[in-house]
Amino acid sequence: MQTLLSLVVTVCCLFVVQRYFQIRKILQTIHYQPCDWTLFSRTGLGGRFSRIPFIFPGRDYQWRKYQDFSALGSDIFVAAALAPTVSLNFQLADPDAIKEVIGSRARFPKPLELYKPLLFFGDNIVASEHNEWKRYRKISAPAFTEPNNKLVWDETIRVINDLFDNVWGNQDEITVDHILEVFMPATLFILSAAAFGRHIAWNDEVLPPSGHQMTFKGALYIVSHDYLFKMILPNWAMVLTQRLKKLNVAFDELERYMVEMIRDRKNRTADDIEPRYDLLNGLLDACEDDLGGDSKLTERELMGNIFVFLLAGHETTAHTLCFAFALLALYPKEQEKLYEEIKTVLPDGRLPTYEDANSLVFTNAILNEALRMFPPVNGIPKFSAEDTVLPMTNSSGEKVFVPVPKGSNITLHTPGLHYNPKYWPDPHTFNPSRFLGDWPRDAFLPFSGGVRSCLGRRFAELESIVALTMFFSKYRVEIKEEPQFAGETFEQKKERVLDTMPRLTITPVRIPLVFKRR
Ligand code: HEM
Ligand SMILES: *[C@@H]1O[C@H](CO)[C@@H](O)[C@H](O)[C@H]1NC(C)=O
Ligand SMILES: *[C@@H]1O[C@H](CO)[C@@H](O)[C@H](O)[C@H]1NC(C)=O
Ligand SMILES: *[C@@H]1O[C@H](CO)[C@@H](O)[C@H](O)[C@H]1NC(C)=O
């Protein structure tokens, strides 16, 4: 017994001593950059639980915004963990450092192991690097040009008019318990039409079409919400609860819908007279034999890319719109400014045209401010492929260089950057006007940047601008009054309505709104 005990103690001591020297060496290499130590790392186990200082960094560590940078007094700090191995993750909220990283794909590639969950249906543009990524980008990018932008604009108008005419009708007041219930379907319908040429109406698809157990939007909704379970749990566990069973069915259904989408389009393209410029066509063309050689897409790559476009283009935009609407309902003065702009640019209540996009300056500013405060993708992972340094402005305002050893993980900390008071005065205040005139472009990263930046940026922006003008020209939007919240202060109300939960993207908890006809 005693020998066992002394053995355990010896092993523990050796472990501590070994770790101590290892850590001292690491700290020397990184020139004692401020560290946030926890036992478990953010990407591993530690990212699954609530925050316990020195043990778990917390599930929502990214959403503490600038707090950790401020506490450690540096716009770059290292999230350091002891288990399972000593690991370092450089957290970046400095615009110059971030510019350096996004400016060099070869020196700072994506850590593909973190993107494995996106590979379920096949390899794709988001979860790849190097030549494979180049090939996907080359195939997909032509779909996101001028003709498609116009299509996005027109389809957004069509989808919202369909909602106004056929769902909301002539009611003077419409109450929505959670605005997400409007924008999840709306963005799905727009994406479906503008990227995949598949029109869905608000009143369609109440029941699954024949041969299906779920509607397309139902299946996609469940998959995008719960899909991490499917990645984490083994297959046999997928029948343990109702929710998991449903998730399993949703995956099968989504696959079937994607196969149908491909088959329909192949069938239709044969009789098409007009050429099509949407995404699905570009992807399908790339599957044809005549391209030959390496550029040909396999069936699995086709599915992988369709899935990732559905995922990337849907929830991100829906959540952005939710937060923009919540902010405007909380700040009626800003809402009035928006209304004034709409009345000036679109007199007599006419619909916005694609040519109006750049004249709606304040509308654009609102969108940017919503994306600054609630960037849907709240951390972008990279790693360093070589021993290097990153430039940073230190707290005395001097330029310094932070050494980054080869193999270090790096996180572009979007909320940290977006709430960095050096670039955004009074960062917690909703102030769209900060985006009028000159603003610090390098301190704004909702769509990432460089060659790996979001391919759908213009798509999302145009869609959001149309939505903002159409809803706010017709309705005054307020937070729904509810008896259980009658006594709360403005600050409490703001906190409740803007509450978020960390999911695939930053997700609003519940935004109850009332739309009153103007
Ligand atoms: C407000 C809405 C959106 C936001 C905030 C957003 C944000 C982002 C971010 C941060 C990335 C980089 C991800 C990474 O490095 O892992 C990204 C990549 C991407 N996004 Fe978006 N996105 C939005 C809408 C869209 C839409 C509507 C589409 C398509 C219709 C789209 C398609 C893509 C694609 C294909 C990539 C991968 C690009 C590449 O790796 O080459 N996104 N997006
Ligand atoms: C980087 O992160 C991965 C997990 O994503 C981890 O396995 C690896 O040890 C980390 N590397 C360093 C140098 O911390
Ligand atoms: C292809 O389209 C034709 C009519 O345009 C239809 O009759 C046929 O069933 C379709 N085939 C498939 C496989 O969808
Ligand atoms: C900032 O950097 C300068 C130059 O290296 C250095 O003299 C100064 O002490 C640094 N300030 C802080 C707060 O670390």
Side-chain angles (χ1 to χ4, degrees):
M1 190 64 203
Q2 221 163 17
T3 42
L4 185 66
L5 193 70
S6 56
L7 188 68
V8 169
V9 170
T10 315
V11 167
C12 284
C13 287
L14 276 177
F15 178 80
V16 169
V17 169
Q18 186 261 346
R19 278 290 139 101
Y20 172 79
F21 282 108
Q22 193 183 359
I23 290 164
R24 222 179 57 165
K25 183 149 172 279
I26 287 173
L27 290 180
Q28 266 168 5
T29 356
I30 63 169
H31 294 186
Y32 300 94
Q33 199 57 29
C35 288
D36 177 38
W37 284 100
T38 48
L39 185 55
F40 297 102
S41 80
R42 301 172 176 221
T43 45
L45 197 61
R48 305 256 154 77
F49 300 97
S50 300
R51 181 176 178 78
I52 303 175
F54 306 110
I55 311 280
F56 295 130
R59 212 183 284 124
D60 62 343
Y61 63 88
Q62 208 78 253
W63 201 233
R64 284 203 301 277
K65 302 165 188 165
Y66 192 68
Q67 219 172 301
D68 294 335
F69 296 93
S70 156
L72 293 164
S74 171
D75 287 352
I76 296 181
F77 74 85
V78 180
L82 292 172
T85 54
V86 178
S87 69
L88 302 182
N89 196 323
F90 285 76
Q91 308 286 315
L92 272 45
D94 182 280
D96 290 334
I98 288 175
K99 206 171 174 181
E100 182 87 10
V101 171
I102 59 183
S104 177
R105 192 173 58 80
R107 279 165 67 212
F108 302 105
K110 284 187 168 192
L112 291 182
E113 72 274 8
L114 293 183
Y115 287 82
K116 273 199 191 121
L118 292 182
L119 294 177
F120 185 79
F121 288 104
D123 289 342
N124 60 69
I125 181 168
V126 178
S128 55
E129 259 297 349
H130 310 301
N131 289 340
E132 199 190 5
W133 164 76
K134 271 194 199 146
R135 191 159 61 92
Y136 298 143
R137 182 94 182 186
K138 208 168 134 199
I139 291 165
S140 312
F144 291 88
T145 45
E146 206 63 5
N148 188 259
N149 290 344
K150 282 203 170 98
L151 185 64
V152 170
W153 192 274
D154 295 340
E155 288 301 337
T156 309
I157 293 185
R158 195 186 51 77
V159 166
I160 296 175
N161 266 337
D162 179 27
L163 171 76
F164 288 169
D165 295 344
N166 302 318
V167 184
W168 286 10
N170 292 326
Q171 300 170 78
D172 283 330
E173 211 174 287
I174 297 106
T175 302
V176 182
D177 194 58
H178 185 6
I179 190 63
L180 194 63
E181 288 153 21
V182 172
F183 288 131
M184 279 302 259
T187 50
L188 177 62
F189 299 167
I190 296 161
L191 184 66
S192 180
F196 302 105
R198 182 192 166 107
H199 288 257
I200 309 173
W202 285 86
N203 290 330
D204 287 351
E205 296 229 355
V206 181
L207 292 172
S210 67
H212 283 281
Q213 300 178 49
M214 272 181 198
T215 61
F216 176 54
K217 74 177 175 201
L220 184 58
Y221 188 85
I222 294 170
V223 167
S224 60
H225 263 243
D226 281 353
Y227 90 128
L228 274 180
F229 291 120
K230 174 100 177 167
M231 306 303 141
I232 297 165
L233 298 172
N235 260 339
W236 56 262
M238 293 302 293
V239 294
L240 293 182
T241 71
Q242 276 308 324
R243 186 169 170 184
L244 291 176
K245 270 191 214 158
K246 232 174 145 178
L247 179 61
N248 227 10
V249 175
F251 263 92
D252 290 345
E253 285 284 298
L254 190 61
E255 176 151 15
R256 213 166 305 152
Y257 278 112
M258 290 196 287
V259 169
E260 275 175 23
M261 217 148 71
I262 297 168
R263 205 188 44 212
D264 281 2
R265 176 55 71 84
K266 277 188 177 155
N267 192 17
R268 206 148 20 105
T269 314
D271 333 318
D272 264 359
I273 303 160
E274 300 258 315
R276 284 169 173 274
Y277 297 106
D278 67 22
L279 176 65
L280 187 55
N281 239 47
L283 294 175
L284 283 173
D285 280 349
C287 289
E288 301 290 309
D289 290 316
D290 48 350
L291 263 167
D294 288 343
S295 35
K296 193 167 175 278
L297 272 190
T298 65
E299 195 84 8
R300 262 194 70 74
E301 289 176 313
L302 177 63
M303 291 286 279
N305 279 293
I306 291 177
F307 170 68
V308 94
F309 273 97
L310 285 171
L311 214 58
H314 179 212
E315 206 183 90
T316 45
T317 320
H319 292 174
T320 303
L321 284 170
C322 288
F323 290 116
F325 275 55
L327 288 162
L328 287 164
L330 285 164
Y331 295 86
K333 274 203 192 117
E334 303 296 338
Q335 190 178 145
E336 278 314 299
K337 280 194 225 164
L338 169 62
Y339 185 59
E340 288 306 315
E341 171 167 281
I342 296 171
K343 274 200 309 192
T344 313
V345 179
L346 310 170
D348 315 317
R350 75 168 168 84
L351 284 171
T353 65
Y354 183 59
E355 287 67 39
D356 294 322
N358 294 329
S359 315
L360 292 158
V361 178
F362 193 68
T363 318
N364 277 286
I366 288 173
L367 173 63
N368 282 344
E369 182 69 339
L371 283 166
R372 181 189 69 82
M373 295 181 80
F374 295 92
V377 179
N378 69 357
I380 300 161
K382 306 275 185 187
F383 74 94
S384 176
E386 55 186 56
D387 284 326
T388 188
V389 290
L390 287 175
M392 180 187 84
T393 308
N394 77 5
S395 56
S396 346
E398 305 230 25
K399 259 256 150 20
V400 293
F401 288 92
V402 176
V404 178
K406 179 177 174 174
S408 304
N409 292 311
I410 296 174
T411 302
L412 311 184
H413 197 305
T414 317
L417 181 70
H418 286 187
Y419 285 81
N420 188 332
K422 288 198 195 81
Y423 309 95
W424 305 106
D426 208 357
H428 292 271
T429 302
F430 175 62
N431 176 18
S433 303
R434 68 170 94 234
F435 281 96
L436 304 175
D438 224 12
W439 51 275
R441 278 160 210 273
D442 292 341
F444 187 63
L445 202 73
F447 298 102
S448 189
V451 290
R452 295 296 311 246
S453 67
C454 177
L455 200 46
R457 176 174 192 161
R458 203 60 193 140
F459 190 120
E461 287 173 343
L462 293 171
E463 176 178 3
S464 306
I465 288 164
V466 175
L468 283 163
T469 51
M470 284 182 79
F471 280 93
F472 285 92
S473 66
K474 202 162 173 173
Y475 299 99
R476 178 177 287 116
V477 181
E478 292 168 12
I479 306 292
K480 181 186 173 192
E481 301 285 346
E482 289 163 294
Q484 69 269 38
F485 302 120
E488 70 185 352
T489 64
F490 176 73
E491 285 305 316
Q492 286 166 332
K493 181 192 272 186
K494 199 171 110 184
E495 198 164 306
R496 163 172 64 89
V497 172
L498 297 177
D499 196 12
T500 61
M501 43 193 177
R503 289 283 161 82
L504 191 56
T505 63
I506 281 292
T507 305
V509 173
R510 178 171 166 267
I511 302 175
L513 296 180
V514 184
F515 290 76
K516 296 183 174 169
R517 219 195 182 97
R518 291 225 180 228

